[in-house]
Amino acid sequence: DAKTTQPNSMESNEEEPVHLPCNHSTISGTDYIHWYRQLPSQGPEYVIHGLTSNVNNRMASLAIAEDRKSSTLILHRATLRDAAVYYCILRDTQSTSYDKVIFGPGTSLSVIP
Amino acid sequence: DAMVIQNPRYQVTQFGKPVTLSCSQTLNHNVMYWYQQKSSQAPKLLFHYYDKDFNNEADTPDNFQSRRPNTSFCFLDIRSPGLGDAAMYLCATSRRQGLNTEAFFGQGTRLTVV
């Protein structure tokens, strides 16, 4: 399975944009890039996913590099409620194990008031 | 409204006494997952079902079993809990195919072994 690497932790000031990077240099052509986050004492929640094009939704934006070897989750205005662990996950649509959602260590985001 | 429901939220069991955790979903998803999450670690996949097809991760201990009697319900059985099995147990669901394959997670059951 293709792997992802993320910084262990990041800090952001409240109401400023946050760019959370993810490297996936061995990504295959059929891998979707998914992001989840886990707030303290809660189950993970889906944030966004994409294949090749940049994606926007009400929670965040996903910027995917042209070669797809990296991606960036963008929170446009960080709030204190965005303090969480953010996970970047690859899901291969062609694999028989596509059913799996495998978590790496993730990035712990702190938001400073 | 909660779409993936785990009961109970907190469970205390005795060392060696079998315990069952339950998960139900209202999404009619064909894939269901069980994860174990220990303090300050990422969730670790134990097994998952695609419909009734059971898929065990290679490093999941034999002490952990699962049942999925129908689409809506899934159970995690720990046959002889040890102190090292104390953790948060997370259930999740997803569709397998199509555009909207994001996973939905329950709030988890925190298991304490005494």
Side-chain angles (χ1 to χ4, degrees):
Chain A
D1 293 335
K3 302 290 185 215
T4 63
T5 55
Q6 300 176 251
N8 288 335
S9 61
M10 291 183 64
E11 274 187 357
S12 173
N13 292 319
E14 194 177 10
E15 298 193 2
E16 290 188 357
V18 184
H19 290 232
L20 296 160
C22 181
N23 288 319
H24 28 77
S25 58
T26 59
I27 191 170
S28 75
T30 52
D31 280 333
Y32 275 83
I33 302 158
H34 283 240
W35 284 83
Y36 290 79
R37 72 178 185 180
Q38 187 172 22
L39 280 65
S41 301
Q42 294 191 24
E45 65 174 340
Y46 167 80
V47 178
I48 200 166
H49 77 283
L51 185 61
T52 57
S53 304
N54 294 344
V55 184
N56 300 296
N57 66 21
R58 62 174 180 82
M59 288 181 71
S61 296
L62 176 61
I64 301 172
E66 196 169 335
D67 64 4
R68 299 203 335 118
K69 293 186 177 183
S70 65
S71 60
T72 302
L73 179 70
I74 302 165
L75 306 179
H76 295 286
R77 287 183 67 210
T79 70
L80 297 179
R81 289 172 293 179
D82 291 321
V85 180
Y86 287 78
Y87 297 100
C88 171
I89 295 167
L90 300 183
R91 296 187 71 185
D92 180 359
T93 60
Q94 299 300 316
S95 168
T96 55
S97 64
Y98 177 57
D99 310 297
K100 294 186 181 184
V101 179
I102 304 291
F103 289 85
T107 296
S108 179
L109 175 67
S110 302
V111 180
I112 302 166
Chain B
D1 290 338
M3 295 175 285
V4 182
I5 302 161
Q6 292 189 244
N7 284 309
R9 289 291 309 275
Y10 300 91
Q11 175 75 56
V12 180
T13 191
Q14 290 181 330
F15 182 94
K17 183 176 181 180
V19 64
T20 295
L21 309 181
S22 71
C23 177
S24 64
Q25 57 139 332
T26 60
L27 298 162
N28 205 34
H29 284 169
N30 46 18
V31 189
M32 291 188 79
Y33 313 80
W34 278 105
Y35 294 84
Q36 179 192 64
Q37 186 173 26
K38 296 189 176 180
S39 181
S40 301
Q41 296 182 20
K44 178 179 180 297
L45 183 64
L46 295 173
F47 23 62
H48 74 283
Y49 282 90
Y50 173 47
D51 289 330
K52 284 193 174 278
D53 292 336
F54 177 70
N55 298 274
N56 200 32
E57 291 300 295
D59 56 355
T60 298
D62 292 341
N63 197 26
F64 291 87
Q65 305 285 319
S66 184
R67 295 169 284 136
R68 189 179 185 186
N70 54 51
T71 300
S72 301
F73 287 89
C74 196
F75 300 97
L76 171 62
D77 301 309
I78 308 176
R79 293 192 296 188
S80 182
L83 297 179
D85 297 327
M88 174 75 82
Y89 290 88
L90 294 160
C91 174
T93 74
S94 75
R95 288 191 188 91
R96 186 180 187 188
Q97 295 167 334
L99 292 176
N100 298 319
T101 55
E102 61 265 34
F104 292 81
F105 286 80
Q107 295 288 31
T109 294
R110 183 165 296 282
L111 179 68
T112 301
V113 182
V114 298

